Amino acid sequence: MTGALLVIIQIAGRRCALGALEVKSVIEIGTITPVPRAPHWISGITALRSQALTVIDCRRALGLPSGDWPTDHRAVVVADGGHAYALLVDSIEDITTAAGEVGQVPGGFGAEWSRIANGMIETLAGPALLLDLGSLLAGPEALSREIETLV
Amino acid sequence: MDDLLADFIAETREMLEASSGELVAWEADPADRARLDAIFRFVHTVKGNCGFFDFPRLAALSHAAEDALADCRGGRRDPDGPLVTAVLAIIDRIAAMVDAIEAGEDFPEGGDEALIAALDVSRETPDDMATDGQRGGDDTATAHLTHPPAKALFNPGEEPATLARRADAAGAQRTIRLPVELLDRVMSGVSDMVLARNDLAHRLRQAGNQPTIDGPFERLTTILSDVRDAITRMRMQRIETLFGALPRLIRDLSAELGKQVMVDLDGGDVELDREMIETIRDPLTHILRNAIDHGVEAPAARLAQGKREIGLVAIAARQSGNTISIVIADDGRGLDEDRIASKAVATGLISSAERAQMSRDRVLNLIFEPGFSTAETVSNVSGRGVGLDVVRQNLERVGGSIKVTSVPGEGTTFSLQIPLTLSIIAGLTVETGGQRFAIPQSYVEEIVQASSSALDLSWLGESALVTFRGVRVPCLMLGEVLGLPRAESETGEPTMVMLRLASGDLFALAVEGIHNHGDLVVKPLAPAVMRSGLYAGSTLLDDGTPVLLLDVANIAAQAGLVSDTRARVLAATTEDTAAAETTPRAMLFTDFSGRRAAVRLELVQRIETAPVSAIDRTHATARVVIDGLILPLTGLPDGPLPARRVRLLRLGDGTCDLLYAVREVEDAVELTAPLQAVPEDPLVEAVTLIGGVPVTLLDAHALFARYGEAPVAAERTRCILPEGEWARTILAPLVASAGYDVLPEGESDTGAIGPDAIRIVFEDVYEVAEALGRDLPGTVIRLRDQPDAPAGCATVYRYDREGLLAALAAASRSARVSARAGEAA
């Protein structure tokens, strides 16, 4: 992982990292068309050229309220399973290089964060949580589903 | 006939390509029965087809090869090397002849007899011929062949002459094979181009008129729409191509099982990815087999239950966004919940405790589980070791799904959902709660303004009902379905979009406004959004705003509006009579002179919008082109037209259509006030009051008398053909070109045909009818499958062209005589 490019973003006041290869682009977010009856962490859909992006509020996808933090006017575009998503975050900080391997911390990151994070990674900008895109996009319900099946 | 010929050539060539591998494999191992069968089918089909095209040489060649192969199949002869060589030589000759036919050239005379003789020689003197066959080109019998034929197939490069001719011939219609992935890329590129064009159009409109740009832009638009049509057609195929084979399949199956089954096909114009059609062919066939074998009861059992002795299998296809839904419904005995459950418990699929918890629906859907088969005795029709689990697997592999519902004693309905990976569909944009949504046009039956009293919106508890054409129809409020707040500035009544589901159920969707309709490029949505079950995809409007496409079928299903079994076909007649006893109604509009006028609603077929360019005013009566038909048009103002597009009411009297140009269509209204006759204006039936305002009611009789153009009266003898692919593609053109009107088999049951119609039936069908004591009305021509007639049998071999035409002529004469006798009496 050392030397890999990472996009550093802030989600709910925490520093997080996404692999730069996973990030297609960073766009100015335009009008978001709400999707009635969709999960609350889906803000809606927005257009990127001829493509429709599903807009995910990362704070809500973590199961946190979104009102407590500022929202960047830019969004990170990622793709997963053939669908493109725009991620709403507090702010998009920088692109930097990983300075170590993915590691864990004793005691974990807390239930919500552990679900979406692969682990901690040291970067030139300081330590950050390396996000797992699939789990982030699965939304907070995924966690409760896991718990149900465990019970 | 030309189309048919092209089909014949394409089909023959396709089979040649497909069987070329078989040919080579057969040569390697002449005893291989499967190869032999494949080649036999090829020559058999060629023989069958060319009997109708006056290609005696092709017919003779294929007939000879068929005979020889039939002997092999029948074990009367061993397929040896020389025979293989001789057959392959004939197939090569067929290919060359087909090339010549396509290019419109004459194929060089002679040589055929030698080829045919080679077949027999190999039988009579196998040893001699074996050496001859190896020498090939030196032999006089195969002198025209420069190489042994199999070699020619292997190394086409060695035959430059043949290749060159092929290239020439290909000028008529060339085909190439492309990887599907490449087509996908081109298609998505074109759809992005459509969106870019829409965006540009939007910006140009904002920028105002710019003559220097508008011209080229119009041209770009035209080109783009042409390209898009062509691209779409590359991949898409009407589902008709799949449906076409079903009536014959059902006929054969029901004959085999001693049942009587009628098939009702609907939605054949739905277009589907070619590959997808191939994917669903087997599942569909399998379900049909099941329906006829296990579902539909034997005629006696049906009669005992008070059903019609003829079973009904209805197949309907509908497009909804990115999915096609196909519904296969039979009116048979239905699924036996208890038997399925006990079987599932016995095979260990579920435990008895689980059984007790399960709803009927879940029990029924156990039939798709691996290792489940309800038939106690495995028949040779449906029990082929392939169960419904494989059907479901195949559908799920392409992202589709299958469900079953059933009412005991009333029938079973299978619903298949098949995705379209990428599609451009016609859609309607509606608005509710300040947000726009798209609805696939294919569902939309009609748009009705709820303000008209005829709709009669009434609330029963939590559900709403509207009255549409005399029938009470459930109504969903789109805003409520989506959980949207009601718009603040709600003015007036909602608009009702009447939607017809694939199951035949009709319901109304109340929206706050209709925007426009047009082609939408549907893109898939993220799985998390799809899970809400309300949306089928997303699309972009002209201005680039994304819009959600509603999943109409699912919304209706969630609201419980889909009936379990489809009674559409049987119920249709009762619906019509129920609707008849209402107040006369009229379509209210403003014409170009500003007059408020109305025309009786029964006359209005639909409302059309035509561009001015489609209107021709050079004659006394103006005409307009709609859907490729030239129709009379009236109601235009004297001067130039005020708009680029004109709204037209399409009026029909049952035989001819007439268009009436209007400035604005208002609404459908009830004619409750008395009608005041206006004798001084022949085109006006009366003046009446609607909402306190005088309205002119047009006189339809006078309109049609003055402007209507009756179609040329048909004086030709009508001819009813048997059902099936063969009759439709091979027999029908022959009969039609001989000057008879061809009626499809389905219509003959309505009793609408006169006694002067000629009926062509297959001998086996005739025998069944005779055995059942049912007299077939009209003059009957019986067809047999074998060239040789059994003694004393009044049948015609189905490829005997002369015989058939003579029989038709004779039948036509006698039919006319009897019809005249009937009139005289």
Side-chain angles (χ1 to χ4, degrees), chain B residues 253 283 462 500-501 580 622 679 807:
Chain B
L253 276 179
E462 289 294 307
R500 166 96 52 201
L501 298 170

Side-chain angles (χ1 to χ4, degrees), chain B residues 712-782:
Chain B
V712 183
E715 265 301 327
R716 313 207 296 180
T717 309
R718 290 176 301 173
C719 187
I720 303 155
L721 300 189
E723 276 187 55
E725 188 72 6
W726 180 82
R728 199 162 44 247
T729 58
I730 296 188
L731 185 60
L734 172 75
V735 173
S737 72
Y740 298 87
D741 268 353
V742 174
L743 293 180
E745 168 67 17
E747 276 178 33
S748 60
D749 293 328
T750 60
I753 53 148
D756 57 337
I758 302 169
R759 185 185 286 265
I760 301 181
V761 292
F762 284 107
E763 175 64 5
D764 47 353
V765 177
Y766 185 83
E767 278 167 5
V768 170
E770 207 170 36
L772 289 173
R774 291 196 311 161
D775 208 16
L776 291 169
T779 317
V780 176
I781 297 175
R782 290 182 276 159

Side-chain angles (χ1 to χ4, degrees), chain B residues 87-331:
Chain B
V87 170
L88 296 188
I90 286 183
I91 288 174
D92 274 3
R93 172 60 69 101
I94 290 173
M97 280 182 171
V98 167
D99 286 345
I101 290 166
E102 188 177 24
E105 293 163 2
D106 285 333
F107 195 78
E109 284 292 325
D112 297 352
E113 298 74 16
L115 281 174
I116 293 166
L119 283 170
D120 294 336
V121 167
S122 91
R123 163 157 46 191
E124 284 152 15
T125 53
D127 295 336
D128 293 354
M129 195 53 202
T131 44
D132 282 358
Q134 274 147 19
R135 272 187 286 126
D138 306 335
D139 196 284
T140 44
T142 49
H144 53 282
L145 283 169
T146 47
H147 299 272
K151 208 170 170 190
L153 275 162
F154 256 132
N155 304 322
E158 288 178 29
E159 262 198 299
T162 318
L163 267 189
R165 195 171 58 233
R166 230 176 196 280
D168 287 348
Q173 186 164 22
R174 281 169 58 186
T175 57
I176 54 164
R177 280 161 192 275
L178 286 173
V180 172
E181 184 262 345
L182 181 64
L183 280 181
D184 273 344
R185 248 173 62 199
V186 175
M187 256 192 85
S188 75
V190 169
S191 26
D192 281 358
M193 224 143 79
V194 171
L195 288 164
R197 187 218 75 94
N198 290 350
D199 189 23
L200 190 59
H202 183 70
R203 279 158 209 253
L204 283 177
R205 268 203 304 278
Q206 280 177 336
N209 249 6
Q210 293 171 44
T212 50
I213 297 175
D214 287 354
F217 182 71
E218 279 292 308
R219 214 166 70 228
L220 177 76
T221 305
T222 326
I223 295 166
L224 195 53
S225 81
D226 278 359
V227 171
R228 209 189 61 185
D229 279 358
I231 286 280
T232 313
R233 271 217 303 282
M234 273 188 201
R235 282 208 60 131
M236 304 300 258
Q237 203 167 25
R238 281 169 172 239
I239 204 163
E240 254 165 19
T241 53
L242 179 59
F243 280 5
L246 297 182
R248 175 64 195 264
L249 175 86
I250 289 174
R251 177 197 161 272
D252 289 356
L253 276 179
S254 44
E256 192 179 326
L257 295 164
K259 294 178 180 175
Q260 293 181 37
V261 181
M262 197 166 80
V263 60
D264 171 56
L265 298 169
D266 185 28
D269 56 349
V270 167
E271 292 199 324
L272 193 57
D273 202 295
R274 273 170 208 274
E275 243 181 275
M276 211 56 96
I277 286 191
E278 288 315 308
T279 317
I280 60 170
R281 191 184 291 275
D282 286 348
L284 199 62
T285 314
H286 188 86
I287 292 169
L288 281 176
R289 283 177 193 284
N290 263 324
I292 296 168
D293 195 5
H294 307 315
V296 176
E297 309 92 329
R302 289 184 64 89
L303 283 177
Q305 288 175 42
K307 293 184 183 177
R308 287 173 64 184
E309 64 176 314
I310 300 176
L312 175 75
V313 174
I315 305 164
R318 287 284 186 286
Q319 183 176 2
S320 124
N322 272 10
T323 56
I324 298 279
S325 68
I326 300 178
V327 175
I328 303 140
D330 69 62
D331 64 347

Side-chain angles (χ1 to χ4, degrees), chain A residues 1 16-17 19 23 29 32 35 42 54-55 57-58 60 65 74 82-83 89 94 101 121 131 136 139:
Chain A
M1 203 71 204
C16 302
V23 176
I29 197 98
I32 299 175
V35 180
I42 292 178
T54 309
V55 185
D57 189 323
C58 291
R60 290 196 163 153
R74 295 169 299 173
H83 298 279
V89 295
D94 201 2
E101 295 302 316
I121 191 155
L131 297 180
L136 178 69

Side-chain angles (χ1 to χ4, degrees), chain B residues 640-710:
Chain B
L641 289 164
R644 289 174 60 195
R645 297 182 151 273
V646 185
R647 300 281 271 170
L648 306 168
L649 295 179
R650 186 173 186 148
L651 311 178
D653 67 350
T655 54
C656 68
D657 281 1
L658 170 69
L659 288 141
Y660 199 95
V662 299
R663 175 175 287 165
E664 198 183 339
V665 178
E666 290 189 21
D667 206 351
V669 291
E670 284 185 356
L671 297 173
T672 42
L675 304 177
Q676 194 86 43
V678 184
E680 63 270 23
D681 190 341
L683 284 180
V684 174
E685 181 185 333
V687 172
T688 185
L689 285 178
I690 292 172
V693 185
V695 167
T696 311
L697 185 65
L698 296 181
D699 189 329
H701 190 271
L703 265 183
F704 275 100
R706 186 173 299 186
Y707 301 107
E709 288 174 355

